[in-house]
Amino acid sequence: ESNRDRQFASYVLPALLVLSSTILAFQITKNAERQRLYAVFENDTEIITQRLHENLDKATQILFSLQGLFDTADRDRGLIPVSRQQFKIFTDPYFERVRGIQAVGWNPVVKRGDRAKYEAYIREEGFVNFQFQQRDENNRLIPDRDRETYYPVLYIEPLNGNQRAFGFNLGSESRRLRTPYRDWE
């Protein structure tokens, strides 16, 4: 039996040692790979966060620029002091510089008594069926109901692909009216 024990020890012990070493090497490699992937994830997260902040800053700059455009426009021009062509020329460069922007729009505050004037003004520009709109319970656009105040999308660039937003009253959605940053009036 002692010969048998020696044979067992000469085969089994090295096999157990190799198996243990393999398991240990696997665990070390797995932990190192987990740490590497975590570091890559953290780095990617930082890069994505930085890019989101940069794009948000650029989008905010667009909004302030638009405010400046309308604030300095010729008020004698009528209800809307900026032409559609001016708006398009002004906004086009932003789409090249800022990723993720689907559209840029302008939505004035319109009181109940001025609604008909704004709708007529836009129709005279060639949008013969223009009217302020809201969504019904099936998410279809329908003529907006009578309200005290409207926030219609009167300018949107690019118009192509965003026609459904044109004329939409942002104030018809209660969630938009609840925004904590509402400083529209």
Side-chain angles (χ1 to χ4, degrees):
E1 273 195 275
S2 94
N3 196 14
R4 199 182 229 189
D5 287 341
R6 272 186 248 147
Q7 281 182 335
F8 178 77
S10 67
Y11 291 114
V12 173
L13 287 178
L16 286 174
L17 185 61
V18 168
L19 180 62
S20 298
S21 298
T22 303
I23 291 171
L24 182 62
F26 174 77
Q27 286 297 328
I28 290 170
T29 304
K30 181 177 101 174
N31 288 339
E33 182 64 10
R34 180 182 292 149
Q35 289 175 347
R36 185 190 72 77
L37 289 174
Y38 183 76
V40 167
F41 175 76
E42 267 191 345
N43 186 48
D44 288 352
T45 302
E46 286 178 27
I47 290 169
I48 290 169
T49 301
Q50 180 182 357
R51 288 186 182 153
L52 284 171
H53 281 289
E54 288 169 2
N55 276 349
L56 186 58
D57 288 344
K58 288 177 183 176
T60 302
Q61 290 172 2
I62 293 170
L63 294 176
F64 283 119
S65 296
L66 279 174
Q67 179 180 357
L69 172 69
F70 281 90
D71 285 348
T72 60
D74 181 10
R75 296 286 173 190
D76 294 333
R77 194 173 171 278
L79 287 177
I80 302 173
V82 174
S83 74
R84 291 198 181 279
Q85 185 62 23
Q86 288 170 317
F87 188 80
K88 180 175 179 23
I89 290 168
F90 187 84
T91 58
D92 275 350
Y94 290 110
F95 295 107
E96 296 168 13
R97 294 193 315 229
V98 183
R99 290 186 192 148
I101 293 181
Q102 179 181 346
V104 176
W106 179 67
N107 321 314
V109 177
V110 177
K111 296 297 181 187
R112 174 186 289 141
D114 293 328
R115 176 181 177 171
K117 287 187 248 179
Y118 275 89
E119 288 176 333
Y121 187 91
I122 301 298
R123 286 184 196 123
E124 288 173 14
E125 288 187 322
F127 300 96
V128 294
N129 295 320
F130 180 84
Q131 60 187 335
F132 293 2
Q133 300 175 78
Q134 68 179 45
R135 295 188 203 293
D136 68 9
E137 62 277 350
N138 296 318
N139 207 31
R140 290 181 302 221
L141 291 173
I142 60 171
D144 201 1
R145 67 176 173 80
D146 184 43
R147 301 175 191 275
E148 189 63 36
T149 307
Y150 303 90
Y151 307 93
V153 177
L154 294 189
Y155 283 73
I156 189 160
E157 282 297 329
L159 182 58
N160 190 16
N162 293 298
Q163 296 94 332
R164 287 182 50 87
F166 185 52
F168 181 70
N169 174 23
L170 299 177
S172 68
E173 292 184 337
S174 59
R175 69 180 172 86
R176 291 186 193 256
L177 291 175
R178 287 190 309 261
T179 181
Y181 304 104
R182 186 173 166 226
D183 186 21
W184 298 346
E185 296 182 55

